[in-house]
Amino acid sequence: MNEVLEFLQDCKSFFIATTIDGKPKVRPFGFIMKYEEKLYFVTGNQKPFFKQIQENPEIEICGMNKKMEWVRLNGKAVVDPRLEVKQKAFETSPRLIHTNKTADSPVIECFYIDEGEASFFTMKVLCQVVGSKNAETLMQSSIVLVFSVFQNF
């Protein structure tokens, strides 16, 4: 879990995908934290994103760093309404203060990721394949190298 957290924090921005009416919706995020051995993100309960999670809590997070490596994390988003979690989020990310909200705002919602599974990948293999004489053969096999998988954290 720590590797996933550090990776996403290093990305600066990452994307969270949800669905609505069976169609994917993706938006950028910049805040994730670890609290009580869980990964948390924050959103407002007046946003369409919040409604989408309530209708279908299955999400996927994807972030890519400058080295062309990326992580995909999927799991269930579970709301945690405790004030202490919101306070920790505001303490961890001063940017949340710029939302003109406070930790006790009824609009702020914290979610943790349950039943999480993360996979790390690299584009280095893909970049090598493009210039290869055996590109077609390699493309038929797995061109994305998975170098770590974490389940159920």
Side-chain angles (χ1 to χ4, degrees):
M1 177 186 334
N2 289 334
E3 188 175 355
V4 174
L5 174 67
E6 290 171 15
F7 191 95
L8 289 172
Q9 289 174 331
D10 185 51
C11 290
K12 306 294 185 227
S13 293
F14 51 89
F15 297 86
I16 301 181
T18 59
T19 60
I20 187 159
D21 298 327
K23 296 180 182 176
K25 298 293 179 188
V26 180
R27 78 277 302 141
F29 273 72
F31 171 75
I32 193 160
M33 73 172 184
K34 179 180 167 184
Y35 184 71
E36 296 178 342
E37 298 305 312
K38 297 175 185 165
L39 294 181
Y40 280 84
F41 61 91
V42 176
T43 192
N45 60 22
Q46 299 174 333
K47 296 182 177 186
F49 177 70
F50 179 78
K51 182 180 177 187
Q52 292 160 14
I53 290 175
Q54 286 188 313
E55 290 177 9
N56 180 1
E58 298 289 337
I59 63 166
E60 183 160 280
I61 296 175
C62 185
M64 181 182 278
N65 66 18
K66 293 178 182 178
K67 295 186 268 182
M68 303 294 284
E69 299 165 336
W70 76 94
V71 65
R72 290 175 57 185
L73 168 62
N74 60 60
K76 285 186 179 178
V78 179
V79 70
D80 189 337
R82 296 179 297 159
L83 179 59
E84 65 194 65
V85 177
K86 293 179 184 183
Q87 289 170 331
K88 182 66 174 178
F90 274 81
E91 176 186 312
T92 303
S93 178
R95 290 189 294 175
L96 290 176
I97 295 169
H98 299 295
T99 64
N100 297 318
K101 306 286 187 277
T102 60
D104 60 353
S105 170
V107 174
I108 300 296
E109 301 287 351
C110 293
F111 288 86
Y112 66 87
I113 301 162
D114 194 24
E115 300 176 21
E117 181 177 316
S119 301
F120 288 85
F121 304 87
T122 181
M123 289 287 282
K124 293 174 187 173
V125 174
L126 180 60
C127 294
Q128 293 169 356
V129 167
V130 172
S132 171
K133 292 180 184 178
N134 297 321
E136 187 174 324
T137 303
L138 290 171
M139 288 178 141
Q140 290 172 356
S141 64
S142 177
I143 54 175
V144 177
L145 175 63
V146 179
F147 58 87
S148 296
V149 176
F150 300 94
Q151 294 183 335
N152 301 322
F153 58 79

